[in-house]
Amino acid sequence: MAPPPRKRRRVDGGGGNGGNYPLVATPNDGVLPVDLLNAVLLRLPARPACRLRAVCRPWRAVLSDPRFAAAHAARHPDPHLVVAACDRLDAGGIELVDVYLVGASGDVAKRVPAGRCDTDAVSSARDGVALLVGNDRRLRVLDAAASAAVSLVPDGEHHPINCSFTLGRAASSSGEHKVLRIGTVVHGEPQVCAVLTLAVAGGRGQNARWREAPSPLLVVRTRRGDVAVAGGVAYFLLRRAYLADWIAAFDLEAEQWRPALVGGPPLAAWRPTRPDRPRVTLAELGGSLVVAIDDHRAATLDLWFLLAAGDGEQHWSKQYTVTMPYHRRPWRCDGESAEPVVVLDDGRIVFWVWAGGGVMRVYDPITGGHTDVATAARCAHVGVYTGNLLSLVSE
């Protein structure tokens, strides 16, 4: 006798679209009605939910359903941080880099070993693709969907030490990942640039080849905080930041430097000629270029957003002023700074505070309070992952 056909139910886990999806009803030993079971599972974070796949086959079927994963992502929209950290050694005492996906509450959703890397040359894109430089100066690409291995970019080049790498996505519909390589200045020579396209989503980049790119009109800085990628454009602080326009822009789609420099926020906002002038860094928040001005003497960290007006003209708008705990001290540790990483749906801002290692700090602009949710003994880079986390977490 053939079994009766399975019924499809529309399960609403609450919270609007986060739980409204068709799902095949499965038996669950009569403990909970299937509607209630799915409503409960939708409320769990990704990592505990994935662990429950081991309870029984019906639960595994529900938690492995792509429609459930999509509904779970809609109910838990906050992105995760991609943190590349050095917190362990191999048998020879060499530092190893691990890439973590960390939630806004500080919970680690996934860890991917990355092996021996140059910690000063780690970059990451918004969708969780990390670019790492091995100790042999060869590039490695690590997707957050990877289980452990780091796929090598087969360009066959041992890149010199005086090169920097910036990873971003082009603004075209294809959204290709591209790497911009910039050779640092030697004896006044112009910076040498090249571009590489990565086949991250569809393969391992077997046909990846470096293409020459023009040099910037003026010398750009390439260390952490000097670079940000927003809207398919890589922005760099100029080495001569006292100029009226002190940000250079490289279009990743056209693979060309834009002829016009970008003027920063009003000069009065950060007074670059002061002996104790504030620290200026670049970031990307919500798709916009952000200039962070950290004035220790004024005890403020101002976030200026580059916004487009109705006529297409761009202008700077100061949207946040933050006070960090280190502002309350008359001194500051060497290298201590706060990097804005992402704005959550509820308006809170996630910062990564660099001080030796790193602290993940969630700031509430309404109350002015903050919460430290995670730390790393030695952190190399921080990025953002906005994809479907439930499908990435191992069982």
Side-chain angles (χ1 to χ4, degrees):
M1 181 176 178
R6 302 172 106 181
K7 299 180 180 179
R8 289 184 177 269
R9 303 186 185 183
R10 184 167 295 275
V11 180
D12 188 0
N17 294 332
N20 198 7
Y21 68 99
L23 183 68
V24 176
T26 58
N28 57 86
D29 297 332
V31 177
L32 290 174
V34 65
D35 293 12
L36 182 57
L37 173 65
N38 285 276
V40 172
L41 294 178
L42 278 173
R43 286 169 166 80
L44 296 177
R47 192 174 185 86
C50 286
R51 288 174 176 171
L52 293 179
R53 289 172 177 168
V55 171
C56 58
R57 290 184 178 180
W59 285 30
R60 180 184 181 89
V62 171
L63 292 166
S64 301
D65 193 304
R67 293 163 296 182
F68 180 88
H72 187 275
R75 188 177 180 87
H76 303 268
D78 283 342
H80 280 60
L81 267 63
V82 181
V83 180
C86 311
D87 54 6
R88 59 193 182 94
L89 305 176
D90 65 5
I94 303 299
E95 284 186 326
L96 300 177
V97 172
D98 293 317
V99 177
Y100 297 86
L101 291 182
V102 185
S105 60
D107 59 301
V108 177
K110 186 173 183 178
R111 179 181 69 88
V112 183
R116 299 180 178 182
C117 299
D118 182 351
T119 57
D120 293 329
V122 179
S123 181
S124 57
R126 185 171 182 81
D127 54 358
V129 176
L131 178 71
L132 308 106
V133 182
N135 285 3
D136 57 359
R137 300 302 297 172
R138 291 178 182 268
L139 293 188
R140 305 181 186 185
V141 178
L142 178 61
D143 195 332
S147 58
V150 178
S151 57
L152 297 179
V153 179
D155 59 349
E157 292 193 27
H158 295 266
H159 302 281
I161 297 177
N162 60 345
C163 279
S164 67
F165 304 91
T166 300
L167 174 62
R169 299 192 77 166
S172 63
S173 58
S174 62
E176 294 177 314
H177 290 81
K178 293 187 177 182
V179 181
L180 172 62
R181 183 183 67 191
I182 301 179
T184 57
V185 177
V186 179
H187 300 303
E189 296 179 1
Q191 291 173 304
V192 179
C193 302
V195 177
L196 177 72
T197 300
L198 304 180
V200 176
R204 296 180 179 270
Q206 292 87 343
N207 298 321
R209 293 292 183 271
W210 288 99
R211 301 179 295 279
E212 291 186 2
S215 300
L217 298 178
L218 297 172
V219 178
V220 299
R221 294 153 57 179
T222 57
R223 298 186 65 84
R224 188 192 74 238
D226 298 334
V227 185
V229 180
V233 179
Y235 296 93
F236 297 82
L237 291 177
L238 294 182
R239 182 164 293 181
R240 297 181 178 180
Y242 54 80
L243 298 175
D245 298 329
W246 37 272
I247 301 175
F250 183 87
D251 190 316
L252 292 172
E253 176 66 22
E255 300 183 4
Q256 296 284 333
W257 292 93
R258 291 183 173 177
L261 298 175
V262 179
L267 290 179
W270 64 286
R271 300 174 298 280
T273 58
R274 240 177 49 188
D276 58 341
R277 58 183 179 271
R279 297 183 180 181
V280 179
T281 56
L282 300 182
E284 181 271 334
L285 292 177
S288 298
L289 174 66
V290 174
V291 170
I293 302 176
D294 193 345
D295 191 338
H296 192 79
R297 191 171 75 171
T300 59
L301 173 61
D302 296 330
L303 301 183
W304 291 78
F305 285 65
L306 183 60
L307 304 177
D311 56 0
E313 292 292 327
Q314 292 182 319
H315 67 281
W316 290 99
S317 172
K318 184 170 68 171
Q319 299 197 1
Y320 299 97
T321 296
V322 180
T323 298
M324 286 290 164
Y326 58 76
H327 286 144
R328 302 186 181 98
R329 302 194 308 258
W331 49 271
R332 185 199 299 215
C333 298
D334 184 34
E336 191 173 33
S337 61
E339 174 187 349
V341 182
V342 65
V343 179
L344 304 178
D345 280 3
D346 59 7
R348 292 179 299 159
I349 308 173
V350 179
F351 288 87
W352 190 266
V353 181
W354 300 90
V359 177
M360 180 178 170
R361 181 167 295 158
V362 181
Y363 173 80
D364 189 338
I366 297 178
T367 64
H370 69 272
T371 304
D372 293 347
V373 297
T375 61
R378 188 177 177 208
C379 181
H381 200 92
V382 179
V384 178
Y385 178 77
T386 57
N388 192 329
L389 187 64
L390 193 67
S391 61
L392 299 185
V393 180
S394 61
E395 301 171 14

